[in-house]
Amino acid sequence: MLIGNKIHHFNSIGSTSEYAKNIIGGSPEGTVVLAEQQTDGKGRSGKAWYSPAGGIWMSVILRPKALSLVPIAAAVAVCETLYTHGILAGIKWPNDILMNRKKVGGILTEIVGEHVVLGIGLNLTMRTFPSELRMIATSVALETNRHLDKKMIFELLCKHLDDCYIMLQRGRSSEILDQWRHYTILLGQNVIIDMIDRKISGKVLDIDRDGGLVIMQPDGKICCVISGVCRLPQLV
Ligand code: BTN
């Protein structure tokens, strides 16, 4: 197995992704940095990522042939991992993992030369969140009342990541996209996409072969969005 061929395991670290970026030069592809807790976890859009004990906080060093579907494949791998235990999580484009409409996991991909550092956060056993996150974040334990073993879920996640990554590297991206379609909560939904300079709204039709979201705007025009933050108007 490529993913996890080498594992750096910390009790506490600033950010597994920052550490991974620092060791990228001397590390084989598939190296994982794993931490029990992060004191300076990074989320998308420069936000902080709440990472106390009780979650899976990991970063993987990859060297993909094509970048755009790496986060999509990672989101599928997280959902597959949970589904192995009968837990159905949903994906909000591009790669937020939701349960009961709250965020249970997130993915941050950062490009470093020809490498990608794939950061994955999964809220597994925590039962409380700071008040400012309570409306938008949750954990597997809170949603299912089950306490899944962290080591077992981590190992399963490495296996599913490995399967999905090999599919991508072998050009079998249509299979990843089909799995994404299976897990997403967005198909047929009306969404708003906040981009740097504007926002667009419309109904989600599909994901395209590069991971862009295909949307039909209210005037019937069809467009493909490649980056931005997706909101469901009915979600907080
Ligand atoms: C998001 O904002 O949705 C992405 C969150 C990514 C968090 C993970 S936790 C492991 C890795 N290390 C970090 O500092 N961030 C990512």
Side-chain angles (χ1 to χ4, degrees), residues 86-154:
I87 295 165
L88 186 58
I91 305 174
K92 181 163 76 67
W93 182 85
N95 43 35
D96 287 343
I97 314 295
L98 305 185
M99 286 182 78
N100 196 19
R101 303 199 149 225
K102 292 181 180 176
K103 195 151 159 170
V104 75
I107 287 152
L108 175 70
T109 33
E110 297 173 274
I111 299 166
V112 184
E114 293 188 321
H115 290 92
V116 161
V117 172
L118 169 68
I120 301 177
L122 179 61
N123 304 334
L124 205 57
T125 63
M126 310 109 89
R127 291 203 174 254
T128 55
F129 285 86
S131 54
E132 67 276 14
L133 294 179
R134 255 170 235 157
M135 295 293 284
I136 53 171
T138 190
S139 71
V140 173
L142 282 174
E143 296 305 320
T144 63
N145 217 12
R146 284 169 62 186
H147 185 98
L148 297 180
D149 181 67
K150 217 160 56 168
K151 183 168 180 290
M152 174 198 64
I153 295 293
F154 166 72

